[in-house]
Amino acid sequence: MPDVGLLRHDIQALSEGDDASKRRAIESLKQYSGEDWANVPNKVIHPIIESLKHQLQSETNRPLIRQEIVLLLGNMRSQAGQVVPQFMELLSEGHPDGIREAAAVALGRIGPEASDAVDQLIAVLSGGPTLCSRAVRSLGDIGSATSKVRTALVNFWLTTTHSQNGQIQAALALCKLKIDTPGLLRFLANTLVTNQDVDLRKSAAEALSLCSKNGIDVVPALLIAAVKDKDEEVRRIAEAGLTQLRLSHAKASHVCSEQLKDSLYAEMALKECGAVAVPALIEALGSEDGASREKAARAIGRLGELAVDAIPALTGALNSKNLDFRLAAAKCLWNISKNAEIVTPVLVDLLERKWTAALEASEARRMYLQTVMEALWRIGPPASAAIPALLEKTKDKNRLISESALSALKEIAPSALIKAGSR
């Protein structure tokens, strides 16, 4: 709790001191947070608020001091509710931009007690970018989800001319008020995972923490940020978001595995999560959706030996009728087990598969066969059982396929190249 004697000294300096004393008093009072002010007794804080209100009125020729006083009062949150009418007036045109922006911020900090200011905040959404960002965020902090507020925020969100900060603050406000808007979750997830601006990533993490854990990419983006974001504060906010959603990393991994089909970031999240994600990935290997199975196999392969528990499920997948899944499982199994005796026959079978006449010269065939041969190249000499099939592919009419076969043979058994007519 702030020292009451020091508070009174600062307020006296603000009321009666010279410029230097006033500035020192403001700097001293700025150090207190909303939690600090909440612990100050009413009999102490009310005179402080009255004194600050008086200073706000008397310092009309000193906009910087007035701006600081506005922010100080905002820090007192609901206890400063009586000042809301003055802040509403300061939002109007004619006041310096800094004062208007400070008033918008202060109203948001006061919260629900500032609900009378909603119309004024909506009115300034056509102002400058910084004022708009402050007003939008404050609308979310005040928490008044009237139809007018909903319409204003959605319209603001859908307007693409706003700054990145304005967009992210609008998204945050929409999440606080539980207003569902097309593209919102995708925008927040993209911002959190890919944006280079730390402050924007912080706001995105905060916003996603307010969303449903079942929203596509909500949990994957938070999990990626919690595990690998380069900024410690972003990691902390993302981790707190998962905690708020009642998700450990293991539970979050299961949510990600369920979103593999539709999510942009679920596969990445599972790869980054490490061994804790293995049970969820094994479960995803049994998904009815082919794309989800392939993504799960790729993620398991990335984990290498950490995913040793997945070997039985992957071995079973080697008999899958889905050739893409079979290939993904084989590659994954090699990454984990390094057992060429199991993996190579599967890859040879895929290399020798028959293609319809219509697909014989297709890009799909070329890409698929090159992927199989790359997998054999990575295995190297232990894949010697594939030599006959690779020799056959050196004769393929597609130059890229024949060159890939030669490359794989060079890695597996250079001497076998003589049989292909190469030196």
Side-chain angles (χ1 to χ4, degrees), residues 35-363:
E35 289 75 16
D36 292 328
W37 288 114
N39 292 319
V40 176
N42 287 337
K43 64 180 181 180
V44 175
I45 200 167
H46 284 163
I48 292 175
I49 292 173
E50 288 299 321
S51 178
L52 288 172
K53 283 174 60 180
H54 175 73
Q55 290 299 310
L56 191 59
Q57 294 168 341
S58 64
E59 297 289 351
T60 54
N61 294 321
R62 303 187 183 189
L64 290 179
I65 291 181
R66 295 187 83 203
Q67 185 175 324
E68 295 286 7
I69 292 172
V70 169
L71 293 173
L72 281 174
L73 286 164
N75 282 344
M76 297 177 186
R77 299 185 180 176
S78 60
Q79 297 179 84
Q82 59 182 290
V83 195
V84 168
Q86 285 178 269
F87 289 172
M88 290 165 60
E89 193 277 328
L90 292 176
L91 278 176
S92 60
E93 293 185 10
H95 292 286
D97 288 346
I99 294 288
R100 299 177 75 195
E101 292 161 11
V105 171
L107 287 166
R109 290 176 181 173
I110 291 172
E113 294 290 328
S115 59
D116 288 346
V118 163
D119 286 347
Q120 280 77 5
L121 287 168
I122 290 174
V124 302
L125 293 183
S126 58
T130 304
L131 179 58
C132 285
S133 297
R134 303 286 191 266
V136 163
R137 178 157 189 148
S138 290
L139 285 169
D141 291 336
I142 290 171
S144 175
T146 64
S147 60
K148 190 172 184 179
V149 171
R150 288 173 176 269
T151 300
L153 288 176
V154 170
N155 288 342
F156 187 91
W157 160 255
L158 294 175
T159 302
T160 59
T161 57
H162 299 300
S163 65
Q164 280 189 313
N165 188 53
Q167 273 314 91
I168 199 71
Q169 295 307 327
L172 180 56
L174 289 165
C175 291
K176 286 181 177 179
L177 298 177
K178 309 299 181 187
I179 301 173
D180 188 23
T181 309
L184 179 64
L185 298 185
R186 178 60 54 85
F187 167 77
L188 289 170
N190 287 343
T191 300
L192 179 54
V193 176
T194 68
N195 201 286
Q196 296 301 306
D197 189 293
V198 173
D199 289 332
L200 293 180
R201 297 204 305 277
K202 289 178 184 177
S203 294
E206 181 184 352
L208 287 170
S209 302
L210 300 170
C211 300
S212 167
K213 66 181 181 182
N214 297 318
I216 299 300
D217 276 326
V218 170
V219 173
L222 285 172
L223 187 55
I224 291 169
V227 171
K228 65 167 291 187
D229 195 278
K230 58 187 177 183
D231 184 82
E232 182 179 357
E233 182 65 9
V234 175
R235 295 197 301 272
R236 184 195 67 76
I237 295 173
E239 189 67 56
L242 291 173
T243 301
Q244 186 170 319
L245 294 173
R246 300 182 180 179
L247 294 173
S248 63
H249 284 198
K251 289 181 178 179
S253 296
H254 279 283
V255 174
C256 291
S257 71
E258 292 169 356
Q259 294 188 7
L260 278 170
K261 178 181 178 181
D262 302 310
S263 167
L264 283 178
Y265 297 112
E267 182 180 350
M268 183 192 299
L270 290 163
K271 288 176 180 177
E272 297 293 345
C273 209
V276 73
V278 172
L281 285 166
I282 293 174
E283 182 180 313
L285 288 175
S287 169
E288 295 182 359
D289 177 67
S292 295
R293 294 196 301 267
E294 289 175 43
K295 289 178 180 180
R298 286 200 299 263
I300 291 173
R302 171 78 173 269
L303 297 177
E305 294 179 358
L306 292 175
V308 65
D309 289 346
I311 289 178
L314 289 168
T315 303
L318 296 178
N319 298 315
S320 172
K321 294 181 180 180
N322 184 304
L323 299 182
D324 290 323
F325 182 40
R326 194 190 302 177
L327 173 57
K331 292 167 63 178
C332 180
L333 196 56
W334 168 252
N335 288 339
I336 298 172
S337 69
K338 304 302 181 186
N339 190 333
E341 292 183 6
I342 294 177
V343 175
T344 302
V346 176
L347 294 174
V348 170
D349 183 61
L350 294 174
L351 197 60
E352 295 177 334
R353 65 171 286 198
K354 301 299 181 183
W355 294 77
T356 63
L359 293 174
E360 188 66 27
S362 69
E363 275 295 287

